[in-house]
Amino acid sequence: VLRRCQICRGEMRFSHREYAGKGSVAPVWRCTACGALARESARAAEPREAPASRRKRQLVDEGPPQNPVISPDVAAKLLRDPTPDA
Ligand SMILES: [Zn+2]
């Protein structure tokens, strides 16, 4: 069954689907003559296929996070009170 544009009675072609909320989609049709868009009433979205056999690779051998290295100089400064009383 051909859809007809309500404006110019031209032929409507399926354009895309729009998300219509609550897991439903609404097919959107486009007039091949004047380009008018017509959205159908929403209907339940098609179930998505689960991506098959695409396992995430586990990160290996990264080891524990390294501690930032503080030089003895800096450590000594940090231990001292840096704010002398005036
Ligand atoms: Zn049209």
Side-chain angles (χ1 to χ4, degrees), residues 5-10 12 31-36:
C5 175
Q6 299 212 336
I7 299 167
C8 72
R9 315 308 291 175
M12 302 292 281
C31 173
T32 56
C34 74

Side-chain angles (χ1 to χ4, degrees), residues 6-80:
Q6 299 212 336
I7 299 167
C8 72
R9 315 308 291 175
E11 184 179 334
M12 302 292 281
R13 288 271 170 82
F14 176 76
S15 172
H16 61 280
R17 288 190 182 91
E18 270 184 13
Y19 182 66
K22 291 181 183 176
S24 61
V25 289
V28 176
W29 299 75
R30 183 186 187 86
C31 173
T32 56
C34 74
L37 292 175
R39 197 205 297 179
E40 222 177 279
S41 56
R43 64 189 178 200
E46 295 159 18
R48 281 193 184 176
E49 286 181 26
S53 70
R54 269 204 184 182
R55 283 184 194 168
K56 276 184 187 174
R57 273 196 174 188
Q58 283 200 331
L59 298 176
V60 285
D61 286 344
E62 257 194 60
Q66 287 187 337
N67 291 324
V69 176
I70 298 180
S71 70
D73 264 12
V74 175
K77 275 183 190 170
L78 287 175
L79 287 176
R80 271 186 246 132

